Amino acid sequence: MTGVNFAWLEITGKCQLECAHCYADSGPRGTHGTMESDDWRRVIEQLASAGATMVQFIGGEPMLHPELSALIEWALHCGLRVEVFSNLVHVPAGMWPVLERPGVSLATSYYSDDSAEHAAITGRPSYARTRADIAEAVRRSIPIRAGIIDLQPGQRVVGAHSELTDLGIRNVGTDRLRQVGRGVREREPDTSQLCGRCMSGVIAVSPDGAVWPCVFSRWLPVGNVLDRELVDILSSPEARQTRADLEADFATRKPATAGMGKGKGDGEGEGEELCDPRCGPSCGPACNPSCWPTGAGPCSPNGGCRPNYD
């Protein structure tokens, strides 16, 4: 693969929260890694040259990175659209005008309309601040989407969805637990946790420069941007082999059917149907990691491809 149209840029492993399911295993003890601001600028410029149209700044919590504003501005300068995936626990005052720039949008994760349940999942009292910053983003007319992660029986997912729509968010997705990072429960990470479109025009870059097929497939690095140019990584034998291996694995999956129920929601169970790798509108709720922001990947314009993974 030599082209890419969307990239996750994981600019930090530091986060105020310590969510029980965090795919990146991030938290207060995390760091910004070894990638410097100039390294990120170089990667962003190379992504634009490779045909990318959008990047997503993630973490950890990207708002904690001191260069986030400058990196957003650079991505816009390079002609890329930007999404910032934040827990919205704290938005610095100077960040709001940057988020209001044309071409910039927000995404966040949400868990419950009950503050205690929300805090139990995030590991910190976070509900009120996240809710307030969602409301502020809507007030400022900043495009924003939200993902509800359904982690446990009895979780107030329906209530969370209603609250988000009442706040004015029209783009709300739901995802199941992904057994990656702290989300691991019954198994080690493997390809059953992936949506089926990894490395199909998408890549992820870590705080230490590692390039992954996506943010969930962290055990499959194909190179490091601190060692090689991105274009060389994308066209390398390692990248081609990883893509071929993933495509062969995804080809064995049973396609999902319209109206498919959530099922066990953990990818296990004899005879359970997995998501159609084509990620079309027939995908049921069990298929939703769907791996791109709306309009950024091959699943648009159906909006079926929204990762809700923070």
Side-chain angles (χ1 to χ4, degrees), residues 6-30:
F6 172 76
W8 296 270
L9 303 181
E10 189 173 306
I11 58 175
T12 183
K14 190 175 184 65
C15 186
Q16 312 98 321
L17 308 181
E18 207 160 7
C19 296
H21 61 288
C22 180
Y23 74 97
D25 201 15
S26 60
R29 293 172 297 281

Side-chain angles (χ1 to χ4, degrees), residues 54-238:
M54 186 175 188
V55 294
Q56 183 189 79
F57 292 106
I58 57 171
E61 172 46 50
M63 299 284 185
L64 296 178
H65 196 286
E67 297 296 322
L68 177 61
S69 293
L71 292 175
I72 291 173
E73 295 285 1
W74 181 248
L76 293 174
H77 170 76
C78 291
L80 300 172
R81 291 183 295 124
V82 172
E83 183 176 74
V84 178
F85 204 115
S86 169
N87 58 36
L88 293 180
V89 167
H90 174 65
V91 180
M95 183 62 68
W96 286 114
V98 179
L99 297 173
E100 290 177 301
R101 291 281 308 275
V104 180
S105 61
L106 273 172
T108 193
S109 294
Y110 213 66
Y111 306 100
S112 176
D113 61 345
D114 178 83
S115 61
E117 183 175 55
H118 199 280
I121 291 171
T122 64
R124 301 285 190 281
S126 55
Y127 167 82
R129 286 175 288 177
T130 296
R131 189 183 190 282
D133 281 335
I134 288 173
E136 179 64 12
V138 172
R139 187 188 73 80
R140 290 174 177 263
S141 299
I142 297 170
I144 181 171
R145 67 186 178 94
I148 304 168
I149 317 300
D150 190 353
L151 301 169
Q152 56 200 26
Q155 184 179 330
R156 292 184 58 82
V157 171
V158 174
H161 192 285
S162 295
E163 185 165 71
L164 289 167
T165 56
D166 288 346
L167 285 168
I169 297 184
R170 297 293 173 259
N171 189 343
V172 180
T174 304
D175 191 11
R176 61 174 171 86
L177 173 69
R178 299 287 150 186
Q179 300 209 31
V180 180
R182 282 199 299 272
V184 170
R185 299 294 189 268
E186 295 88 15
R187 62 172 69 177
E188 290 302 306
D190 60 32
T191 57
S192 69
Q193 303 305 298
L194 307 179
C195 78
R197 296 294 308 207
C198 301
M199 221 167 176
S200 180
V202 298
I203 60 164
V205 182
S206 83
D208 292 320
V211 178
W212 305 312
C214 76
V215 289
F216 286 129
S217 55
R218 310 166 82 81
W219 71 95
L220 294 172
V222 295
N224 191 298
V225 295
L226 294 176
D227 301 327
R228 285 189 290 174
E229 295 290 296
L230 185 60
V231 65
D232 295 330
I233 294 172
L234 296 178
S235 60
S236 69
E238 298 96 327

Side-chain angles (χ1 to χ4, degrees), residues 256-261 273 281-284:
T257 56
M260 174 179 163
E273 291 180 320
S282 65
C283 281

Side-chain angles (χ1 to χ4, degrees), residues 283-296:
C283 281
C287 300
N288 259 352
S290 338
C291 300
W292 299 266
T294 302

